[in-house]
Amino acid sequence: MARDYYEVLGVSRGATDAEIKKAYRQLAMQYHPDRNPGDKSSEERFKEANEAYAVLSDPDRRAHFDRFGTAGPGAGPGFGDAGFGSLFEDIFENFFAGAPRGRRSRAVRGDDLQYELKITLEEAAAGMDTKIQIPRLEACEACGGDGIEPGNRLETCEMCHGRGEVRRSHGFLTVAQPCPKCQGAGQLNRNPCKRCRGEGRQRAERMLTLKIPAGVDDGMQLRLSGEGSGGVRGGPRGDLYVLLRIREHDLFTRDGADLHCDVPVSFSQVALGAEVEVPVLGGTAKLKIPPGSQPHEVLRLRGKGMPHLRQRGHGDACYRLVLEVPAKLSAKQREALDAFEAASRSERGPLMAAFVERMKKLLG
Ligand SMILES: [Zn+2]
Ligand SMILES: [Zn+2]
């Protein structure tokens, strides 16, 4: 510790505090490890400068050094390592950033909003224009969004003198911090708007017209840019997301652009063939059931499903045949079925024939 700290910093013995600080900053900037990565001699110079400044910037330790030529109490090995780094980075962050910290914009972007809109399947198929009422925050009408009571203006913060940051001494180091009084803004709103209490926003209900394209599906979101909440103190608006929910339909379920519907049919209808009335979107249509159709068979009406979203064409309407067996028979029905059964005994269908074959095999 017999090094001459004045020599290290390149200042005279009579140098003022300001001269010492200036000299130190120049050296620190020049030899900072960030600027000289991997350069051992720069690192050494950097450490020396730190050590010299630590002593010469402290009046007691400087006096001790002047008298005895040593660093005096408080200095020693390890100094400049642990515990020192964070303060150090703090001060240098400012040097290297080139601009003072703390002067942040107080404007904040408004929140994104989500609105759930329930529509019917028919509405989803046709598309529609609808009006929705959105509760959201809007720029305050009284102050125009700046949060200042009309007739007043922002005043320079007296704590930081408008700089937005304050300097705190930690021993020999001075650290810049955002001003606690103005939160780094450099200005104070001493006359906050009475209506919005200085926030610049107020609750409002807003009516919006929404265009829903034909073919939308459940769970889709429409984004309305800039229709979310207003920003704080003049910040940009957020976005509005409209989440589409499609109500359950009495007859149809949906699979993409296809619609599915169960159609109950009688044995004679599927056996003989028939034409039945089935639902389609916005009305009904005739569905031909070919003779010999099987239970659970699906018949399609091409192009009678949902429109493809932002494309030409439609999906299909699909009808599943659900066989309904009469729970009770009239005498006439029984007679007819008895006759049918008697006539059918000699010829089985392919399912029945295969089943009988397998049973025979099993029993040997
Ligand atoms: Zn206001
Ligand atoms: Zn301030």
Side-chain angles (χ1 to χ4, degrees), residues 156-166 178-188:
T156 302
C157 171
E158 70 275 0
M159 189 177 220
C160 63
H161 307 289
R163 282 192 299 270
E165 61 173 30
V166 289
C179 172
K181 182 148 193 161
C182 62
Q183 278 85 44
Q187 293 179 304
L188 293 170

Side-chain angles (χ1 to χ4, degrees), residues 149-222:
E149 184 68 13
N152 295 279
R153 49 171 57 194
L154 293 175
E155 290 170 29
T156 302
C157 171
E158 70 275 0
M159 189 177 220
C160 63
H161 307 289
R163 282 192 299 270
E165 61 173 30
V166 289
R167 293 175 180 277
R168 286 242 177 103
S169 288
H170 291 269
F172 60 93
L173 272 175
T174 304
V175 178
Q177 293 177 330
C179 172
K181 182 148 193 161
C182 62
Q183 278 85 44
Q187 293 179 304
L188 293 170
N189 182 3
R190 284 196 205 286
N191 303 94
C193 168
K194 291 190 182 76
R195 177 91 64 93
C196 64
R197 290 193 213 92
E199 219 210 6
R201 304 188 296 181
Q202 61 180 15
R203 299 214 146 272
E205 295 272 326
R206 185 60 184 268
M207 196 72 101
L208 295 174
T209 303
L210 190 63
K211 228 182 170 44
I212 298 172
V216 291
D217 207 341
D218 187 66
M220 281 182 175
Q221 287 201 119
L222 303 175

